Amino acid sequence: MRAQKQSIFRFAPSPNGYLHLGHARSALLNQEIAAQTHGKLLLRMENLDELRCRTDYETAIMEDLAWLGVSWQLPVRRQSEHIDTYDAGLGQLRARGLLYPCFCSRQDVAKAVAGRANWPCDPDGSPLYPGTCRHLSLREQQARARDVVAPAYRLDIAQAIKLVPQRPEWHEYGPDGVLKTVAADPAQWGDVILARKDIPASYHLAVVLDDYLQGVTHVVRGQDLFAATSLHRLLQELFDYPAPDYFHHTLLYDVAGRKLAKSIGAKSLWQFRAEHYTKEDIIRMALA
Ligand code: GLU
């Protein structure tokens, strides 16, 4: 990878469970490439989901990483400590007329698109937002706000794309190390939620602000986040942030061909360690 004056990498797990081999792959690749470019590696805990994230998982993650031989520069950034920063970012987008409150539940969205043939889905598989709340008047918004605890905030993607003079692109490293230019396609996300009902933030918003505030120059993460980069590039353009270089590495799959994930009960490093696998065994499997 091309080094920059000071190359900065980050590994950004969500502490809602233990690390599995897929995380080990990402952390080890970050460490390896950071070393090649004389860069720094940072650790960020993406712990916005208060219900699922736990400090004992954070401790276990750091312990597993240290055991694997991955080291990072302090301080560790914890997203839950930066809610004000995300709120300020939302304020900037709101001031430009790019956000609107959305009172719909997931079921409301499903109902609104039911029966519409071939209704498109976003890259995560959720139906694109049909725009129900996009043009509510202030009076309607106030009336709705009385029945709902708090609205989510969505990005008006068409307006946002219009405000960016050129279609965003990014530099992506292939597995062969060759740098390619990728044209971003943020429209595929539709009016994405940037602030959830429970917190004034979302993964997409926080990741963009954090990468900028932490001075990240190289984002090394799994291919499952490739499509998200289209949206992240649009947000970076709106905030006038420089684009990092990206490398979306291949993923690890289980014997049934499913992507390793906590949600399918992928075996944790912690379990491997309890079964006396060595660090070398884990590195070999993670980088296979
Ligand atoms: N927190 C995300 C995850 O655990 C990674 C986000 C990123 O690297 O941008 O999948």
Side-chain angles (χ1 to χ4, degrees), residues 106-119:
R106 231 178 257 251
Q107 292 88 317
D108 293 332
V109 174
K111 234 190 272 164
V113 304
R116 298 209 209 172
N118 303 321
W119 185 259

Side-chain angles (χ1 to χ4, degrees), residues 136-155:
L136 293 183
S137 66
L138 199 57
R139 187 184 290 244
E140 284 168 314
Q141 287 178 359
Q142 284 163 349
R144 298 296 308 274
R146 278 196 287 274
D147 326 323
V148 170
V149 188
Y153 283 86
R154 290 185 182 270
L155 179 70

Side-chain angles (χ1 to χ4, degrees), residues 10-16 23 26 30 44-47 79 203 207 211 219-222 224-225 228 232 246 262:
R10 83 320 189 257
F11 176 58
S14 298
N16 55 11
H23 296 113
S26 219
N30 266 289
R44 181 162 80 223
M45 292 295 171
E46 301 210 324
N47 63 347
Q79 289 186 326
Y203 160 66
V207 82
D211 283 343
V219 173
V220 175
R221 60 185 178 191
D224 48 345
L225 288 167
H232 300 172
Y246 287 86
K262 288 168 207 160

Side-chain angles (χ1 to χ4, degrees), residues 24-158:
R25 180 179 183 82
S26 219
L28 288 164
L29 286 171
N30 266 289
Q31 162 137 305
E32 191 178 304
I33 305 170
Q36 282 163 11
T37 55
H38 308 289
K40 290 204 277 196
L41 176 60
L42 305 175
L43 178 63
R44 181 162 80 223
M45 292 295 171
E46 301 210 324
N47 63 347
L48 286 177
D49 191 337
E50 269 188 3
L51 290 179
R52 292 168 61 226
C53 293
R54 297 187 347 208
T55 48
D56 57 321
Y57 286 139
E58 286 186 21
T59 310
I61 287 172
M62 291 196 265
E63 222 259 301
D64 279 342
L65 289 173
W67 176 81
L68 260 185
V70 173
S71 52
W72 56 91
Q73 304 240 331
L74 296 173
V76 173
R77 185 174 175 94
R78 301 177 72 242
Q79 289 186 326
S80 58
E81 293 164 3
H82 298 279
I83 300 295
D84 290 352
T85 305
Y86 309 134
D87 206 16
L90 288 171
Q92 286 184 40
L93 299 175
R94 195 174 287 122
R96 296 170 78 185
L98 295 177
L99 285 190
Y100 63 88
C102 173
F103 301 91
C104 297
S105 63
R106 231 178 257 251
Q107 292 88 317
D108 293 332
V109 174
K111 234 190 272 164
V113 304
R116 298 209 209 172
N118 303 321
W119 185 259
C121 285
D122 72 17
D124 286 343
S126 306
L128 284 199
Y129 185 60
T132 320
C133 294
R134 194 184 296 131
H135 300 298
L136 293 183
S137 66
L138 199 57
R139 187 184 290 244
E140 284 168 314
Q141 287 178 359
Q142 284 163 349
R144 298 296 308 274
R146 278 196 287 274
D147 326 323
V148 170
V149 188
Y153 283 86
R154 290 185 182 270
L155 179 70
D156 185 331
I157 197 99

Side-chain angles (χ1 to χ4, degrees), residues 1-2 4 170-182 218 244-247:
M1 280 201 165
R2 56 182 179 181
Q4 304 197 2
W170 77 87
H171 296 299
E172 172 81 27
Y173 284 89
D176 49 5
V178 176
L179 198 58
K180 291 192 196 81
T181 302
V182 180
H218 296 75
D245 285 345
Y246 287 86
F247 171 42

